[in-house]
Amino acid sequence: MARQQTQPRSEATNKIALASLSAMVAETTTFPIDITKTRLQLQSISHSTTRPISAFQVAADIVRKEGLVGLYKGLSPAVIRHLFYTPIRTVGYEQLRHAFLTDGNLSLSLPSKALIGGISGVIAQVVASPADLVKVRMQADGRMVSQGLQPRYTGPVNALHKIIGSEGFKGLWRGVFPNVQRAFLVNMGELACYDHAKRFVIQKQIASDNIFAHTLASMMSGLSATIISCPADVVKTRMMNEEGKLKYKSSYDCLVKTVRFEGLRALWKGFFPTWARLGPWQFVFWVSYEKFRLIAGLPSF
């Protein structure tokens, strides 16, 4: 009996470790796209020009003013965030999926998968929100440097210290509500779509349970997650970057003001860099994670 209870715990621990490793690989690979997306979404908060700026222009500007290292500003808190966020949501999704299954059903419906995906994402995001806040602040700092201003933080530890000192411990969870809303939508699209798409590809014999099925499923997962979550991502980024005198009273206020002053399309600002990041991120993560699970003798996701 003791052995039977130990085995699931050991399996869950292995899944957590492999999810963390896969997430670190995916985050490091795609981080330059993420910082480009964040800077693009913050454009309206700043200044002057009303002329549209493309993601390529933003990335080129970062390299020109900050060097290649500027594309990795805020990487360390992003990696730390994924050490908590990704294992909680992926392993949590599997646990909830297993709990929802009945003896007669071998698979859940898409709405059920979407619900447990969203719940898993919410739990993970609440835990990881402080690291996400530091990442956004440090990414925005690079834009200040490019404008000749003094950066607010010298590193992630300094950022944590200053945020707690000026905004209190609760300040680490600034923007947690739009963050949680985004996490629900992202994981509703990402986890549920990957799970459902992979099973569809395998059942229709388009591909067996291999890298081809994982690639197709990850592409569909990335696209659906981007479409669903981009408005919440814009709101989250703008609210988390605020300090001192606040421009927005709530996530709803931020949403209304963004649409009023910039139009409905502004809610999908950064859509292509977000998709360009989520697509490769999904591919690297899921292919790595599935491969690591295979090597470790664990069943497919």
Side-chain angles (χ1 to χ4, degrees), residues 100-121:
F100 272 68
L101 284 173
T102 59
D103 294 335
N105 291 327
L106 297 176
S107 181
L108 295 175
S109 65
L110 183 57
S112 297
K113 290 176 181 177
L115 176 62
I116 63 175
I119 292 171
S120 303

Side-chain angles (χ1 to χ4, degrees), residues 103 169 211 255 300:
D103 294 335
F169 191 73
I211 190 172
L255 180 74
S300 177

Side-chain angles (χ1 to χ4, degrees), residues 166-186:
S166 62
E167 303 172 45
F169 191 73
K170 287 174 64 177
L172 293 174
W173 275 268
R174 181 181 294 280
V176 69
F177 292 112
N179 225 350
V180 160
Q181 291 162 6
R182 176 187 178 273
F184 184 89
L185 295 171
V186 166

Side-chain angles (χ1 to χ4, degrees), residues 208-264:
S208 56
D209 193 356
N210 56 27
I211 190 172
F212 300 108
H214 305 156
T215 300
L216 287 171
S218 68
M219 288 170 63
M220 289 183 263
S221 172
L223 179 58
S224 65
T226 305
I227 292 171
I228 293 170
S229 70
C230 204
D233 193 33
V234 170
V235 171
K236 178 215 77 166
T237 300
R238 294 184 177 189
M239 289 196 67
M240 292 186 79
N241 190 51
E242 286 194 302
E243 61 177 341
K245 187 177 180 180
L246 303 182
K247 184 178 179 180
Y248 308 114
K249 298 176 183 177
S250 65
S251 56
Y252 177 74
D253 183 52
C254 179
L255 180 74
V256 170
K257 286 181 177 176
T258 300
V259 174
R260 181 184 300 162
F261 295 114
E262 302 172 57
L264 192 62

Side-chain angles (χ1 to χ4, degrees), residues 31-39 62 70-73 139:
F31 194 79
I33 306 173
D34 184 44
I35 194 168
T36 300
K37 176 210 72 173
T38 300
R39 298 278 185 90
I62 292 171
L71 292 173
Y72 286 90
K73 185 83 173 179
Q139 287 179 333

